[in-house]
Structure formats: C-alpha cells, structure tokens
Amino acid sequence: MKYILTGGGSGGHVYPALAIAEKIKKENPNSEFLYVGCKNKIESTIVPGKGYKFQGVNAIGMPPNKKSIKFLYFITILFWGILKSSFIVYKYKPDMIIATGGFASAPVVFGTVVLRKIFRFKTKIFLFEANAEPGKMIEATGKYADGVGTVYKDCVRFFPGKAEYVGYPVREIFFKQERDIRKELNLPENKFIVLVFGGSQGSKAINDGIHRLLDQIENENIYIVHATGKDSNNYKAYSETKDFLSTGKLKKSYLKNHYEFHPYLEEIDKYYKACDLVIARAGAGTITEIAVTGKPSILIPLSNLAGDHQVVNAMYMKNIGAAEILFEEYNYESKRRVVCSEKLFRMILDLKQNKSKRNYLVVNSAHAVENVGTDYIYRFIKSIEDDTLNKIKTWSMTETFDEELSEIKPETHFSIPFAGKSASRIFEMIKQFSNDPKSNVLSEHTLSYLYLQYKADSYISSENWEVRNNGVKLIGLIKDRSRIELLSKMFNNREPVSFVKRKLGGDYREVGFIRRNIMTNYRKLSFLSETVYDDLKTGLSDNYFEVVTETLKTIIYFRDELKNDSSLKELVRNTLESNNFEILMEAISCYGIFINSIEEYALLRRFNYHPNWKVREALLQVLIKLYRSSSISKEQLYNELKDILITSSGFVPTFSLKNILKGI
C-alpha cells in the first residue's frame, strides 16, 4: 500500500502523521510513504530527519477577513498549492491520503478531491481531527473523506456516518518507564519543577511572561525548565531569552538554582515525566501528552487561530476539571498580546501548594483524553481500505470507555455556542440568550462568558477599526466592567496617523464611532469610576458631535451622583453654545440636572423660540423637572410656558409638546 501523509505548519500536525505511519509500517513493513507539507515549515526538517521522503508545496493559513488583500493572496497560494499537489498525487498514485490538519494539508486534500472528480481516482482520504471542534480545512473536506478520526468524542457529531472517536496517536516513547529521570536530566530532586514551552518556534507572550516572574521564585523552591523555541525569521525566541538574561538583573548563581532554558527539547517526553507542572499551549497533541504522562497543567491557548481551536480545546479541559486555563491579554500600549506574569505566578503557587488539586486535574485529564490512538486509528484506516467502514460501529470507542468513565463523571458534553461565529452572529445570539430567562449562558464566570471576554479582547487587538469597534460593542453587551480601563485608553487615543499607514491597515487611532460606543458602554456598565468621570469631562469637548451627545446622555444617566458637581456643570454649560441641534437638545436636558431655581433656568430662555421644536421640547422637560422637584412654583411654571413656542414643524400622529403639557 502507498500512502501520502500530509499535515503541518506546526509540530501538533506533524507528529500524529508520523505516529500513524510508524504503526502502519509496524503492521505492514512493505508500506510506502511520501510526506507532502510546507517547504518552509517545521515538517520540512522533522520529516526527512525521521527517514521519510518529503515534497514541499506552498500553503498559508486563511486570514479572518475575506475582503482583504491578504485573503486574495491566500486564494492565489492555495490555487497553486492545489495544482502542484494534484501533480504529486497523480504521479505517486497513493492508495490513501492521511491528512492530520493544518493549512499544509489543504492543497493535498483538495487536489485529491479534484483528481477523484475528474479522473475517477480511487485514492481514499482519511482525515484526523485533533481539536474539540473541526478546523476549517477538515470541516470543508469532511464530506469528501472516506473516514474521519477524532480525538474528542463530541467532535464525532460534525461528521455523521463517517467519523469515529479514535483518540490521539501518542508516540511510544511517552509510555516508557523511566527511573532516576531527574538525575539523568541533571534536575534538582527536591524542587517543584515547572516545564514551560510554547511550540517549536516559541511564543513571545509566554516567554516574556516567564521572564517577568523569574525574580519571584527564589523563596518558593521552584525550578523552571523553559523551552523557548528556536529562532526564526518572525521571532528570535532563543536569542531574546539570552539577551534578557545577559542584562545581569538576575545573578548567574540565582539562575543556576532556579532556571534553565533550551531552544528545543528533543527528549521532551523525559521532561514531562520529570516535572511537577506543565505550562503550555493547548494543541490537542500537547494536551494528550500531558494526560498520558499524568501531569497537571496550565494551558495558555494561542489566540486568534481560525475557529479558536486552542481556545476551545483549553476550555473543554477546564470544563471537565482537567486543566487550568490562562488567556493571553491584549496590551493596548504595546499593541501585543501578553501573558500576565502576576496571574501566572499565582496559579503556579496555588497548584504547588495544593496537591489534591493537582491530583484532581491529573485524574480528570486521564479520563478526558485516553491514549488508544495508534491501534484504533490503524484499525479504522484498514476498515476504510477494505470498504468495511460501517462495520466498525461494533467496536465504538465511545461504548468501550463508558464503563471506565463511570468512575469519574465530569461533564464531558461541551459546547461554546459562540465559538467560530461571526461578530454579527455573536451579537444576535447574545440578544437571544438575554431574552431567555432560563438561560445562564451569559452569567458571569461561566465558560461562555469567559469566551466572550476573550473574543472582545481578540477583536480589540485588530488593526482594523471596524473590528475593534465590534470588541467595544461586545464589552457593552456582556457588561464586562473589568474592561473599563481598557475602554478609557481607547477613548483617549487620538494620535494622528499618516494617510499611508492608515491605507495599509495600521490605523490604531480610535475613530469617532468607537469613542461614541465607549461612552454608550459606560451607561451599560452602570459604574461611575474615577476613570469614567474623567472621560465624561473629556467627552464634552470631543470634535465628533455623537461623542458629545452620548457624553451628555451618560451624565444624565449618572445624575444622582453628579448633580452637585460644579466643575462638570460649567463644562455642560459650555455645550449650550453648540450650533448642532442634537448636542443642544441633550445639553439643555443635561444642564437641567444641575439647576434648582428659576434664576438658574434663566440661562435657557434664549431657546424659547428656537426653530427646532425638539430643542424646545427639552426646555419643557427641564421646567417640568423643576416643578416636580418643587424648585419652582406652579405660577412660575406657567409664566415660563407663556413665552415658549409650542408648535412643531412637520406632521406627526401625536403632538409631543402638547402631550407633555397635558401631563402637568
């Protein structure tokens, strides 16, 4: 049998393909393999090093914005990748394509589908989905596949009639029993060892977060083993760590007792076994390796991946009590996503001091991701080759493990309704859930609420102001008060940006629409902090009229707290000079909350005959407020009303001004 293996862009896609190949070779030594992946990604070095033939094609990940130049470039690269892959498949004539996901496998799978349609190729397609919800490539090609193997039971539902829960193909070295492993690796025997890594090319967010907490671990008996990632064109992961340590802020003797770093851990299985805690990304391979080596973990999912797969993976594990989760946060000043070292350090200490909690995570992770991958995947692949796919339902793994899972019963059915949805769809769904009194989806501290917090942060990190605006709207919809400081930073960002930079998509200046929505959010959040108060003062002098009107409305909303503020009263008084009737209308209403006598009202008489009837309507509302609060008498009210024009321009079914008078 001849196989084409494909999958890559990261080690999480490469190693499953190699593990499957090793199992097939073990059972069928005459099998032939060709690996097709990205010529400039990690598979181009890993695969030949394992003794497999390799051919490279061009492929890139799909950008989120389908209306951008980047998306057009993606389509072009995908087209040429499919064309080249088609030639490779046509020439090699494999019996089966084994695709483990990632953008590197898309050209091969699509190329094979084309050959099957046009030339009636008999090549079978097996897809391996390692995430809790399918990636875009596997979701798009699943209907053409002959079989889909999943790591998570809940993922089977996305491919009815074709999918089987098969587990993750962990390499055999992870099950080898090791003795004196710390001694072999020259690690301290009596310290709490934390293994940290962020992928083969490293994670700047994780690396920087670890750097910032190194000076805090001296008195905690903690030792950190840090795989920084190899240097690449995009990020000099290892070199930056060396540069940080060379500053001399941390003494060499201190580092020797508490920290070591490597670009890459070739024998990472041994470090898994030697450590007490793992801090890593949330790829399915990493999650499974953590589970089978029996280690507690803090997962820091990579943000803004297509479909938010790592986020969903991590939240799935958190949901069943199998891991702790820490999201990257967007730093507005640096325009980068960061790991909060303070939060991370507190989580490390909590797990270090709480052995029962560590054990709880280990037990639940072991039951969440059972390693039965290679045997079941091989059996599944053979059933596809023999056209006996439907018969495998008699050995469904879901049934096989029901009895074992009964010992510990975490809630394994997991779904985040908002995951993978567009911003507009998320907004619609929030409104639907908000109107459902029985739903607790939007309750604070639920995983769905946590996901929406992450999503808002993700939108705000975009270079596109319209996407950032979606983030602002989302904060208001979920009433997330923890984002007030971030909103304020955005509200006060008015730095000019060059025309060229703006056209290239790098305009981080917050436009008037964003400032307006931030001010509207302050009412939705219903919390008058010192930060919000300062922004109210700033908003009254904004050059965009909608920001001023929303600011005036917000002052009215907080009138009980602000009605005696003389400095704010003076700023509101200044807005009465505006020539914009919308500002003027709100300014009159707002000024009304600060006055309590007919003498103070005298300032507003100049609007008695204003040509816009809505402005005069605001005057009536102020007078009625004064009367109802007993600040003016009925006689004073009538005297003022005699001199106000109460007609309105244009026909409306009801006469608003007269209705107000009738209500007195």
Side-chain angles (χ1 to χ4, degrees):
M1 297 289 287
K2 297 172 71 175
Y3 300 89
I4 282 184
L5 308 170
T6 183
S10 69
H13 296 296
V14 178
Y15 287 116
L18 296 179
I20 294 170
E22 290 298 320
K23 177 63 178 179
I24 294 174
K25 272 203 308 184
K26 182 179 178 181
E27 300 293 334
N28 302 282
N30 294 326
S31 299
E32 298 179 31
F33 297 91
L34 171 66
Y35 201 112
V36 181
C38 285
K39 59 179 68 175
N40 58 348
K41 293 295 182 180
I42 190 171
E43 58 265 30
S44 64
T45 56
I46 292 177
V47 172
K50 298 293 183 180
Y52 292 91
K53 296 177 182 178
F54 179 85
Q55 286 198 29
V57 296
N58 292 323
I60 59 173
M62 186 172 79
N65 185 2
K66 294 183 179 180
K67 297 180 180 179
S68 65
I69 295 177
K70 290 181 180 179
F71 186 76
L72 182 61
Y73 179 67
F74 161 76
I75 292 295
T76 304
I77 294 296
L78 179 61
F79 172 78
W80 289 111
I82 291 173
L83 193 61
K84 183 173 181 181
S85 297
S86 299
F87 281 112
I88 293 173
V89 175
Y90 185 87
K91 183 178 179 180
Y92 190 71
K93 292 182 173 55
D95 296 288
M96 178 175 287
I97 305 294
I98 297 175
T100 54
F103 56 79
S105 62
V108 181
V109 175
F110 284 124
T112 304
V113 171
V114 170
L115 291 175
R116 294 201 324 186
K117 292 284 186 181
I118 298 175
F119 297 104
R120 300 189 179 278
F121 258 50
K122 302 299 183 182
T123 300
K124 302 285 182 66
I125 298 175
F126 168 72
L127 304 180
F128 175 72
E129 179 50 78
N131 294 296
E133 293 194 7
K136 289 185 177 180
M137 192 284 295
I138 290 184
E139 187 175 25
T141 56
K143 60 183 177 181
Y144 303 111
D146 298 284
V148 182
T150 71
V151 172
Y152 293 90
K153 297 174 186 176
D154 219 32
C155 190
V156 172
R157 61 191 169 90
F158 292 98
F159 310 97
K162 292 187 176 183
E164 184 66 25
Y165 160 56
V166 295
Y168 192 92
V170 178
R171 290 165 286 168
E172 290 296 324
I173 55 174
F174 282 87
F175 301 98
K176 182 181 177 182
Q177 295 297 318
E178 306 281 357
R179 301 182 65 181
D180 300 323
I181 190 67
R182 288 195 175 187
K183 186 176 181 180
E184 179 186 342
L185 297 174
N186 198 28
L187 296 174
E189 293 286 346
N190 59 345
K191 290 186 182 293
F192 186 81
I193 295 179
V194 181
L195 172 62
V196 183
F197 58 93
S200 57
Q201 295 185 355
S203 160
K204 184 170 179 59
I206 292 177
N207 290 350
D208 288 351
I210 292 297
H211 296 164
R212 288 192 296 270
L213 63 76
L214 284 179
D215 61 351
Q216 303 177 56
I217 62 177
E218 181 175 12
N219 298 321
E220 301 298 340
N221 203 38
I222 293 172
Y223 188 90
I224 294 177
V225 178
H226 185 191
T228 65
K230 297 178 179 180
D231 286 355
S232 67
N233 292 332
N234 296 324
Y235 172 43
K236 306 297 183 185
Y238 184 68
S239 296
E240 279 196 13
T241 298
K242 286 179 65 177
D243 292 343
F244 169 77
L245 298 174
S246 67
T247 60
K249 293 180 180 179
L250 296 170
K251 294 181 179 179
K252 289 184 178 180
S253 58
Y254 175 84
L255 292 172
K256 183 179 179 181
N257 292 322
H258 298 286
Y259 178 74
E260 67 179 67
F261 70 105
H262 312 266
Y264 189 76
L265 296 172
E266 295 290 348
E267 297 182 302
I268 195 170
D269 57 298
K270 293 183 178 180
Y271 286 91
Y272 271 121
K273 296 165 188 172
C275 75
D276 298 291
L277 173 67
V278 179
I279 299 173
R281 290 300 195 190
T286 300
I287 287 174
T288 308
E289 289 168 357
I290 290 170
V292 299
T293 50
K295 300 299 176 181
S297 63
I298 299 171
L299 301 177
I300 306 176
L302 179 60
S303 306
N304 295 334
L305 288 175
D308 285 330
H309 299 306
Q310 286 206 11
V311 172
V312 174
N313 289 348
M315 295 183 81
Y316 173 85
M317 298 299 283
K318 172 68 176 176
N319 182 59
I320 62 173
E324 292 297 310
I325 183 172
L326 178 65
F327 283 118
E328 296 175 344
E329 298 175 4
Y330 181 61
N331 184 283
Y332 192 73
E333 287 81 5
S334 66
K335 302 296 184 287
R336 290 195 298 106
R337 303 194 70 83
V338 300
V339 169
C340 178
S341 56
E342 291 80 7
K343 290 181 181 178
L344 180 58
F345 186 57
R346 286 198 299 270
M347 294 174 76
I348 292 171
L349 285 184
D350 178 53
L351 287 170
K352 174 180 177 290
Q353 296 164 3
N354 194 334
K355 186 176 181 180
S356 61
K357 187 174 184 179
R358 297 201 305 272
N359 290 339
Y360 177 78
L361 297 179
V362 169
V363 171
N364 284 339
S365 66
H367 283 78
V369 186
E370 302 89 356
N371 174 60
V372 288
T374 49
D375 289 338
Y376 279 88
I377 289 172
Y378 175 73
R379 191 169 177 180
F380 190 33
I381 286 173
K382 293 304 293 181
S383 73
I384 295 171
E385 292 173 351
D386 300 336
D387 293 319
T388 58
L389 179 62
N390 292 333
K391 295 181 181 179
I392 66 170
K393 300 304 175 186
T394 58
W395 53 268
S396 168
M397 280 181 53
T398 305
E399 297 173 4
T400 302
F401 280 88
D402 276 347
E403 185 176 344
E404 292 182 24
L405 286 169
S406 65
E407 297 175 13
I408 291 182
K409 296 183 178 179
E411 182 55 54
T412 55
H413 181 77
F414 175 69
S415 176
I416 300 174
F418 308 102
K421 304 295 191 301
S422 66
S424 59
R425 180 59 184 143
I426 287 175
F427 297 157
E428 291 174 6
M429 293 174 69
I430 289 174
K431 290 177 182 177
Q432 292 170 3
F433 284 121
S434 298
N435 294 328
D436 182 1
K438 296 181 180 180
S439 173
N440 67 342
V441 169
L442 298 177
S443 300
E444 206 168 343
H445 306 307
T446 62
L447 287 178
S448 287
Y449 186 87
L450 190 64
Y451 176 81
L452 291 173
Q453 283 185 309
Y454 151 76
K455 203 63 185 175
D457 209 40
S458 174
Y459 289 148
I460 286 172
S461 68
S462 172
E463 291 185 349
N464 186 308
W465 73 263
E466 292 174 303
V467 178
R468 293 201 301 279
N469 196 32
N470 286 333
V472 171
K473 290 179 181 178
L474 186 52
I475 288 171
L477 284 172
I478 64 175
K479 298 179 173 57
D480 184 7
R481 289 183 178 179
S482 70
R483 296 296 195 271
I484 284 179
E485 293 299 325
L486 172 60
L487 291 176
S488 180
K489 289 173 183 176
M490 297 179 71
F491 185 79
N492 289 285
N493 181 8
R494 298 150 200 252
E495 296 179 5
V497 179
S498 70
F499 175 81
V500 174
K501 187 174 182 182
R502 188 162 61 249
K503 288 299 180 184
L504 291 175
D507 186 356
Y508 278 101
R509 176 184 51 185
E510 305 308 350
V511 299
F513 296 110
I514 288 180
R515 300 199 302 275
R516 174 199 64 190
N517 289 332
I518 289 172
M519 189 54 67
T520 303
N521 275 357
Y522 287 156
R523 300 199 297 275
K524 293 178 179 178
L525 300 177
S526 191
F527 182 68
L528 182 61
S529 64
E530 186 176 339
T531 297
V532 173
Y533 176 78
D534 290 340
D535 288 348
L536 292 176
K537 288 187 171 182
T538 303
L540 290 173
S541 60
D542 198 279
N543 57 10
Y544 182 50
F545 80 96
E546 287 195 30
V547 177
V548 180
T549 57
E550 292 301 322
T551 302
L552 291 163
K553 289 178 184 178
T554 305
I555 293 172
I556 295 171
Y557 180 84
F558 291 114
R559 57 185 172 273
D560 291 340
E561 296 97 322
L562 299 174
K563 61 186 178 183
N564 297 318
D565 191 311
S566 58
S567 62
L568 199 57
K569 175 183 177 182
E570 188 60 29
L571 293 175
V572 172
R573 179 174 176 169
N574 292 339
T575 62
L576 293 170
E577 308 302 323
S578 174
N579 294 322
N580 182 293
F581 89 89
E582 292 184 62
I583 292 179
L584 186 56
M585 182 175 63
E586 295 299 338
I588 291 171
S589 298
C590 188
Y591 190 69
I593 72 172
F594 295 100
I595 62 176
N596 296 292
S597 69
I598 200 66
E599 290 76 20
E600 291 179 298
Y601 173 80
L603 180 67
L604 302 179
R605 288 183 184 135
R606 56 182 159 148
F607 304 113
N608 284 359
Y609 289 88
H610 194 278
N612 191 298
W613 66 269
K614 289 187 177 181
V615 172
R616 289 179 273 118
E617 182 180 41
L619 278 179
L620 293 183
Q621 297 284 15
V622 172
L623 281 170
I624 292 170
K625 172 257 178 186
L626 291 171
Y627 171 68
R628 288 177 175 167
S629 64
S630 301
S631 298
I632 62 174
S633 66
K634 197 167 191 176
E635 182 180 359
Q636 288 174 316
L637 171 63
Y638 285 144
N639 286 338
E640 294 296 334
L641 292 177
K642 289 177 185 178
D643 200 30
I644 296 179
L645 181 65
I646 61 171
T647 59
S648 57
S649 59
F651 174 77
V652 289
T654 58
F655 295 97
S656 179
L657 271 66
K658 290 186 177 180
N659 284 340
I660 291 172
L661 292 175
K662 289 179 183 178
I664 298 175

